[in-house]
Amino acid sequence: MKPKKIVVIGFVGTQLDSGKGSGRWEKWRPTVALMQHEEMMVDRLELLYSGKHEALVEQVSKDINAVSPETKIKVSHLAMSDPWDFEEVYSCLFDFARNFHFDTDNEEYWIHITTGTHVVQICMYLLTEAFYFPGRLLQTSPSRRQIIGDPGSYALIDLDLSKYDQIAQRFSREQEEGVAFLKSGISTRNARFNSMIDEIERVAIKSKAPILLMGPTGAGKSFLAKRVFELKKARHKLQGKFVEINCATMHGDGAASTLFGHIKGAFTGAASDRPGLLRAANKGLLFLDEIGELGLDEQAMLLMAIEEKRFLPVGSDNEVQSDFQLIAGTNRDLSKEVMQGRFREDLYARINLWSYELPSLVERLEDVEPNIDYLLGQFSAEQGQMVRFNKEARERYMRFAVSPEAIWKGNFRDLSASITRMATLADAGRITDTVVSDEILRLKKLWRHYEQHDTSEGIELSKVLAPEELDNLDLFDAMQLKAVLGVCKGSKSISDAGRKLYAASRNYKEKPNDADRLKKYLAKFSLSWNALFLE
């Protein structure tokens, strides 16, 4: 394997690297001395400076050419007026790192922190720890008993970020930006979803392990996987591309060929070699949606590819390699699939290290409104025309969108399609009450085939209450409780049940807490949601 080129990134030392006349060779100058180590050759030096130090940069460059003519030097001037100002230095170096083209496949980066002000050194350290500089820290020092011509020593080091807790807080804004990026800038309000995205942002930056995204069709698994890839790519965690496949579209022998590739003549119709999607995702991210649809043989091959980064193409006796990162999506309960023998237990354990369940749209009704704004903005940008609701039309659509009538069977796909239809039909960029009325009828028609679970019979109270409790229950309370429990039984969560039961009164509360209201109602009968529906 071809060795990587060594690239050093560092500031010229306005004091340490200075010197005039032949006497300059008698002192230890860290940037020049680094190039004098016989056992190590720097292929390129990215020499940074600020202020008016062109003469010093020119002198240092000439001296490096004299001792190490093989080293290429690229000089960059950074426009910082005060190299002791943390905010200015960090901002300037951050912009440099974001615009620098890092080729981590062919180059190894050493970040020289011996020169520059202490503020410069700390900021370069922080950016390296955060992988904006995807390399290692380099520290140089003179020999204890300085000898003319002795280059001293150098060390590649790892520093403890905890030593700089206060400065590390500067990264909180970058993390917030990463979270906002994963949400596409949508100001989501659902606490469960926001907490999940916060963790996914940290995992995406720090971990190479597989991620499992669970949730119903249309909940946004594919969209989130693509955003995770883009975030990792921006932080230099990946160099390859995003490869996506829905496993439900692959069947029989074609599944293995699609994923792992095949050699010419492997089967009838294999007229040429095919690399397969795993190799296409090398150094990148592979998103396998509906992974529960894979056959057991393909699951075994995938497990080997994940753990050992190697596998056999169909019909080949020679292994190939691919270093990809995996995100898997599913709308199935894979633990049940394992119990029923349809999914390998070892593969499930391997991809279940980081697992997240994306809530459905009906479980995130508070996020309907910000998503409507996002979708309208997206449509307006694509069509080059601003589209808005009339006030009455928006209020009517919102009342319907968060009501029990709106089942959102296709989740965010249904919402996206609905907004697209109304925006397309909007005259002069205004969505009117008439357009909303027609759209509500259209949605109801689309969903009429999904019959709701009949909850009219409720639950037999004798199964949840003791005989003496039933004897003391008025007929009115008994009938009401039976109906309430029936709604609960047909709901996905206590919040879902609460929204159905309090659909009218919740509109008059500033902060409706349907789950808490239902919890208190059940408690009057010594009942709880967890005991009734989660056991």
Side-chain angles (χ1 to χ4, degrees), residues 312 314 524:
L312 287 169
V314 176
K524 291 196 302 183

Side-chain angles (χ1 to χ4, degrees), residues 168-240:
Q169 291 175 5
R170 291 176 176 268
F171 283 104
S172 61
R173 188 176 70 176
E174 309 305 329
Q175 182 184 5
E176 291 172 1
E177 290 178 356
V179 170
F181 180 83
L182 291 180
K183 297 191 293 184
S184 295
I186 304 173
S187 299
T188 54
R189 303 164 185 169
N190 183 271
R192 172 188 165 194
F193 181 77
N194 287 340
S195 177
M196 180 186 70
I197 294 297
D198 286 344
E199 183 172 307
I200 290 177
E201 190 272 344
R202 296 195 297 272
V203 170
I205 298 303
K206 297 181 179 180
S207 175
K208 295 182 179 180
I211 296 175
L212 177 62
L213 301 179
M214 301 173 290
T217 300
K221 298 185 291 293
S222 177
F223 179 81
L224 181 56
K226 183 67 178 292
R227 299 299 280 184
V228 168
F229 163 76
E230 291 170 349
L231 179 64
K232 292 172 79 76
K233 186 96 171 179
R235 297 290 182 88
H236 307 292
K237 305 296 291 183
L238 294 171
Q239 289 80 49

Side-chain angles (χ1 to χ4, degrees), residues 457-473:
E457 295 184 0
I459 294 178
E460 288 298 327
L461 297 185
S462 59
K463 296 182 179 180
V464 297
L465 296 178
E468 58 273 16
E469 292 175 315
L470 278 175
D471 292 339
N472 295 325
L473 204 60

Side-chain angles (χ1 to χ4, degrees), residues 17-29 59 62-63:
D17 284 330
S18 64
K20 296 182 179 180
S22 60
R24 71 182 185 277
W25 294 102
E26 297 179 6
K27 64 174 289 191
W28 180 76
R29 293 179 293 162
Q59 182 64 68
K62 288 181 179 179
D63 290 346

Side-chain angles (χ1 to χ4, degrees), residues 277-315:
L277 295 182
L278 266 64
R279 273 195 280 180
N282 185 41
K283 303 295 183 181
L285 191 146
L286 175 66
F287 176 53
L288 295 181
D289 199 8
E290 304 305 342
I291 193 173
E293 300 287 345
L294 275 184
L296 293 174
D297 290 341
E298 288 76 28
Q299 292 176 29
M301 296 171 68
L302 178 62
L303 177 63
M304 179 179 176
I306 295 172
E307 292 186 332
E308 302 183 21
K309 308 299 182 186
R310 56 187 179 85
F311 53 90
L312 287 169
V314 176

